[in-house]
Amino acid sequence: MQILKAAGLALLASVPAHAQIVAQPSAGTYQRAVAAGYKAALYCSGIFNAGRTPEQIDADELAGIYPDYEKIVPTLTANVDRSLQSVSVAFDPKLPPRRATWTSGHGCVTLPIGGTAPAGRKSMAAPSIAPADPRRWPQGDAGIAPRPSASLTGAVGKAFATTYGVDTKTVGVIVVKDGQVLAEQYGRGFGPFVSNRTWSVGKSIAGTLIGLNNAAALKAPAAVRQWKTTGDPRQAITLDNLLRMASGLHSDTAGNRTDAIYFGGTTVDEQAVSWPLEALPGTRFRYANNDILLAVYATRNAIGEVRYRTLPGSLFGPLGMAHTVAETDWHGNYILSSQVWSTARDLARLGLFWSQDGVWQGKRLLPTGWMHTMTTPSGPQPASGPGYGATMWLFGPQQGLPEGSYAAQGNRGQYIMVIPSRQLVIVRRGEDPGTARFDIARFAADVAAALK
């Protein structure tokens, strides 16, 4: 029985969307509190980052969510205060409501129960969505005039049906070939400048940001000050171990759902640093949000507060990702394992940057060899399915794709697929409910075939 249980956990941990859908036991008031935090966070970011309406968010972002909260969230009332750029959700008559507050350039922060906005996070600027950038693609939005062939139009159209997964909900697709946008299509309520949450695509963004700002520390012990006590075996965990999901740390579920950090008002430096070792670092693959949260937290300690505050801008600014925002917990830790809001165009820019080996507009931004690090397996691997590099999923002939293909992928169907041999980048944004799974490998193969 134990062998079967272990095998099941290993299989579950190999696929991020599956890993993060594990149901947790009922927790009464606490479960309602997290459900309220979930609604406050998604309403706040959806309204103030993306310009979405509450009705749209209910229909898309909050449809088919984790089963723990799916029946609770619709029963909770959200109070949207547009003058204060905040959302509050009551969940218990004896306790203050859950609250998320927005700040220009930083997105929304979810507060602890009874908490107030952190110092320096108050914003008087009215929320607004950045307009089209008049510079030419890929730096800006001018010159984007997709002219897909009939075969490519057909392939992209199938993504908005159920061809690649039952009950899937595609909200955006972009196909970039040889640096040019060949196809772009959106679902109702979305468009070129409407962002949604990246979920675990944020992990690959984290890997890129660490390459830009902390690459020299890759093989060194992770700079987590809470582990510096004499005799703490976690001092052996390197930054590379964290980026490769090989920390050896315990986690509360196979996929290490981090609901307390994402929606509960707990912070990275309170929770993620506290897990004990249960395997030697570098000897086991276990997909875990905490590993990436810790990699980014270690980078905060390594580069200092001034650079850390502008960490996302070191990537988003040069690439023209003007509709992308990275959010933090209330202690200021970037939640780059998931909590980034971005558009399909901005993610296409990022995929193009990756496909060019970290060079943008003729200028090298990523250190030479960093993309090789991100896209090369090293050490333990998932038990099945695609392989794993350093924050990147690795595809090839076993998945029906050319050798060397790789992808960032996240919960609810977020994908940036890069096929370097074809100079092809495919972005698929989704709001897939529940257990629905979009087959990104088959879709990418069909798109590639349509371009021959």
Side-chain angles (χ1 to χ4, degrees):
M1 181 67 182
Q2 288 296 107
I3 294 175
L4 288 175
K5 183 178 179 181
L9 288 176
L11 177 61
L12 191 62
S14 68
V15 182
H18 284 208
Q20 295 188 60
I21 207 70
V22 178
Q24 295 178 322
S26 174
T29 300
Y30 176 72
Q31 190 177 31
R32 287 181 60 81
V34 176
Y38 198 128
K39 188 164 191 172
L42 270 292
Y43 260 49
C44 182
S45 298
I47 291 169
F48 299 123
N49 288 340
R52 306 265 288 156
T53 67
E55 293 75 20
Q56 289 172 327
I57 295 166
D58 288 339
D60 294 320
E61 287 90 343
L62 288 175
I65 61 175
Y66 298 141
D68 324 42
Y69 314 126
E70 187 173 17
K71 292 182 180 179
I72 300 174
V73 165
T75 70
L76 303 174
T77 300
N79 177 34
V80 180
D81 189 328
R82 294 183 182 272
S83 63
L84 295 177
Q85 298 106 39
S86 72
V87 177
S88 61
V89 180
F91 66 95
D92 187 285
K94 299 184 293 296
L95 291 168
R98 299 304 313 278
R99 189 179 301 277
T101 64
W102 178 88
T103 306
S104 179
H106 298 282
C108 291
V109 60
T110 301
L111 302 175
I113 296 170
T116 57
R121 283 297 301 252
K122 294 182 179 180
S123 176
M124 300 305 293
S128 62
I129 306 304
D133 188 324
R135 293 176 295 180
R136 293 192 64 80
W137 169 267
Q139 198 67 32
D141 299 297
I144 298 177
R147 294 182 178 85
S149 64
S151 58
L152 181 56
T153 298
V156 170
K158 290 178 182 177
F160 289 84
T162 57
T163 304
Y164 301 105
V166 177
D167 294 330
T168 54
K169 181 186 287 187
T170 298
V171 301
V173 170
I174 289 185
V175 177
V176 178
K177 178 76 167 67
D178 298 322
Q180 299 301 312
V181 177
L182 296 189
E184 182 177 29
Q185 186 173 331
Y186 295 97
R188 181 177 298 177
F190 290 86
F193 310 122
V194 178
S195 63
N196 56 328
R197 185 168 170 144
T198 64
W199 296 94
S200 289
V201 166
K203 294 178 171 66
S204 304
I205 294 174
T208 309
L209 286 167
I210 289 170
L212 287 169
N213 294 275
N214 199 27
L218 182 65
K219 299 298 183 180
V224 178
R225 59 177 180 269
Q226 290 87 342
W227 297 346
K228 298 305 180 183
T229 304
T230 301
D232 192 329
R234 295 173 296 183
Q235 293 183 68
I237 299 172
T238 66
L239 187 60
D240 190 56
N241 293 151
L242 294 172
L243 293 176
R244 296 184 184 279
M245 306 294 184
S247 68
L249 293 170
H250 177 71
S251 52
D252 47 3
T253 69
N256 194 18
R257 265 178 50 182
T258 44
D259 295 14
I261 294 174
Y262 287 1
F263 312 114
T266 302
T267 64
V268 172
D269 54 313
E270 290 174 325
Q271 187 180 63
V273 300
S274 66
W275 295 104
L277 277 178
E278 64 178 6
L280 291 176
T283 65
R284 181 195 68 177
F285 178 91
R286 179 166 175 152
Y287 187 83
N289 295 335
N290 277 335
D291 280 15
I292 304 305
L293 290 170
L294 287 164
V296 178
Y297 178 66
T299 295
R300 180 180 190 174
N301 294 331
I303 67 176
E305 285 301 300
V306 174
R307 283 184 63 192
Y308 186 74
R309 287 295 103 230
T310 60
L311 183 72
S314 67
L315 177 67
F316 303 162
L319 268 59
M321 296 172 65
H323 295 87
T324 301
V325 62
E327 298 180 331
T328 73
D329 64 26
W330 63 282
H331 283 183
N333 300 294
Y334 286 109
I335 307 178
L336 283 167
S337 60
S338 171
Q339 210 156 312
V340 181
W341 283 67
S342 187
T343 63
R345 281 191 186 178
D346 278 1
L347 295 187
R349 291 180 173 95
L350 180 59
L352 183 59
F353 175 64
W354 290 337
S355 75
Q356 296 170 167
D357 192 40
V359 174
W360 191 253
Q361 304 289 280
K363 181 180 179 180
R364 172 159 293 285
L365 302 182
L366 278 175
T368 301
W370 189 260
M371 283 308 304
H372 179 76
T373 295
M374 288 183 67
T375 60
T376 301
S378 176
Q381 288 292 296
S384 63
Y388 201 77
T391 72
M392 203 75 81
W393 292 91
L394 311 178
F395 290 74
Q398 286 189 326
Q399 291 79 39
L401 294 171
E403 191 70 45
S405 301
Y406 56 86
Q409 52 187 60
N411 195 26
R412 297 181 69 85
Q414 320 309 319
Y415 299 98
I416 309 172
M417 175 65 73
V418 180
I419 305 177
S421 62
R422 298 291 305 278
Q423 295 185 294
L424 181 60
V425 175
I426 302 165
V427 174
R428 187 269 182 173
R429 307 304 310 275
E431 289 295 343
D432 298 337
T435 58
R437 296 290 174 266
F438 185 87
D439 190 340
I440 187 59
R442 188 157 67 95
F443 176 56
D446 287 352
V447 168
L451 292 172
K452 287 182 177 179

